[in-house]
Structure formats: structure tokens, C-alpha cells
Amino acid sequence: MMKILVVGNEAQHQEMQEKFPNKELFHYQSSHDFGRTFLKGFSAVIDFTVQTNTEILEEYRGAEHLVVFAHCINTSLAEIYYMQGEFDFTIIGFNGLHTCINRSLWELSALHEESQTKAKVVLDELQIAHEWVADRVGMASPRVICMIINEAYFTVQEGTASREDIDLGMKLGTNYPYGPFEWCNKIGLTAVYELLEALYEDTKDERYKICPLLKREYLLQAE
């Protein structure tokens, strides 16, 4: 039977358990305190910690059989390869943003068709419906969600509407599951800020230029 290692924090573990109630398939860890022998018992790894430290992927070198799903939306696989070189295991980028795991469709990226083929074995076993998107910072839905949150902050900053009215209007008008500020609270202001920062650095697109009010709240939160 296939075994999957999940590395992340408690909130990420919880969302995975909500998505996959069959606990026998999964082993959960909060850190990388394991060795190569331990990894031989797993077919794949779902690693949320790559988002904050891409160098942690070095821990999987030598485990050629592994398919590693790496949550790393603040960068691209191409940039990781450029900085760290080719890996001898299969690496797949995935959107592990909070609220995006326990949903019907997963968002994935890969640099090679062979990687997609190997990943499909795991995805089919877990019955994960998925879509392959371009290997870009922010993938697809995270960049849209964070852009909407940023625009909502501009609207509040200009005094056009309250946060409560914006949330209600977006849910009623677009049928989104959450309003922008609700979504920001669930994702976490730090994650939103850092993705917008990465998007602006990557594209120089004014749509991702961080609203001063959002930046102020991020800085005050960081104190």
C-alpha cells in the first residue's frame, strides 16, 4: 500500500486530514528529523515547509523513488533548479496555501512531462483531481486571490467601503466562498504579503504593488 509523508504545521496537517480521512495512508511530521532509511518507506512526500526554505529539498537527495510535492508558490521550480541544480527525485510544485488543500481540484506545476507522469501514479491513488498550471510565482489561483485581497485593502484605504461590506459584496456578487478580508484572515496576512511581494518582484506589475494599509498591518503584526 502506498504511504505518504506529510511535513508541515498543525493547521496544514488538519486540512490534509479533512481532505483525506483515510489516515492509514499518511504519516505526519512537523520537521525533517528523519534519514534516508526512513524515506524508503514512502512513495511520496507532501512538504509544506519548502515555502519558507527551498534548501530543505536537499534532504531528499538520494531518494530517487520519491515524488515530492513542494508547496513553494513564492518562487518557481525553474528558479529552484537554477539555484540548487537538478534533483534525482521527482519534484512537483503544488498550491498548498491554506484553504486550497481541502477542495475538489489541486493546482500543480512541473518542469518535465516525465515528472507529471510519475506524479499521476500518486494522484490517481489518492483520487486527487488536478490541473497543471504554468511554473510561475503564485501559480494561478493564489495570485488571483492575493490580488483581490490587495485591491480590497486599497478600497478600505480610500474610504470607499468597509471591510464587512466588501466581504459581503464579494460573496453575494461573485459567489466566492469568502470575502477578501475573510480569506486574508484564513490564509494569514504574512502569507498574503510575502506572495504579493514575490509577485511584484517577478512581474513588476502594478496590480501586485502592495497597498500601504496592508503593508502597515503586516509590519505592525510582525512587531
Side-chain angles (χ1 to χ4, degrees), residues 73-91:
I73 60 174
N74 287 2
T75 186
S76 65
L77 295 180
E79 186 172 352
I80 292 173
Y81 272 48
Y82 176 77
M83 298 299 293
Q84 295 177 238
E86 282 282 342
F87 296 107
D88 53 3
F89 54 88
T90 300
I91 180 171

Side-chain angles (χ1 to χ4, degrees), residues 8-202:
N9 61 36
E10 187 175 340
Q12 291 157 345
H13 291 172
Q14 182 178 344
E15 193 169 0
M16 282 289 297
Q17 288 163 357
E18 291 168 356
K19 172 70 174 175
F20 304 104
N22 184 358
K23 298 180 180 179
E24 293 182 2
L25 289 175
F26 298 93
H27 177 84
Y28 293 91
Q29 289 211 179
S30 58
S31 63
H32 290 78
D33 55 346
F34 48 73
R36 300 282 162 77
T37 303
F38 178 77
L39 290 174
K40 290 180 180 178
F42 297 94
S43 302
V45 180
I46 298 173
D47 195 330
F48 291 89
T49 69
V50 181
Q51 174 74 348
T52 55
N53 179 17
T54 59
E55 291 184 2
I56 206 69
L57 289 167
E58 297 292 337
E59 297 289 332
Y60 301 115
R61 286 197 188 275
E64 299 178 19
H65 67 289
L66 279 181
V67 177
V68 177
F69 295 86
H71 171 47
C72 51
I73 60 174
N74 287 2
T75 186
S76 65
L77 295 180
E79 186 172 352
I80 292 173
Y81 272 48
Y82 176 77
M83 298 299 293
Q84 295 177 238
E86 282 282 342
F87 296 107
D88 53 3
F89 54 88
T90 300
I91 180 171
I92 301 294
F94 87 102
N95 171 18
L97 203 65
H98 188 49
T99 75
C100 293
I101 294 300
N102 188 17
R103 66 180 193 179
S104 58
L105 192 72
W106 273 24
E107 199 171 324
L108 307 171
S109 64
L111 288 180
H112 311 294
E113 188 174 338
E114 181 185 359
S115 298
Q116 293 185 13
T117 301
K118 290 182 179 179
K120 190 175 185 300
V121 176
V122 179
L123 296 165
D124 288 349
E125 176 73 19
L126 297 178
Q127 298 182 334
I128 298 175
H130 57 280
E131 182 174 348
W132 296 101
V133 301
D135 176 41
R136 290 287 305 278
V137 173
M139 303 185 86
S141 60
R143 67 167 59 204
V144 172
I145 292 168
C146 289
M147 182 182 67
I148 289 171
I149 291 170
N150 197 42
E151 288 298 321
Y153 266 94
F154 274 115
T155 302
V156 170
Q157 180 177 276
E158 292 162 4
T160 307
S162 70
R163 299 178 192 229
E164 294 75 18
D165 287 344
I166 293 170
D167 278 348
L168 182 61
M170 286 295 291
K171 285 191 289 186
L172 295 178
T174 64
N175 202 31
Y176 278 26
Y178 312 108
F181 293 100
E182 287 180 300
W183 226 329
C184 185
N185 289 336
K186 288 180 177 294
I187 293 171
L189 185 59
T190 298
V192 171
Y193 179 91
E194 290 178 351
L195 179 54
L196 286 168
E197 190 174 46
L199 282 166
Y200 186 72
E201 179 63 29
D202 183 57

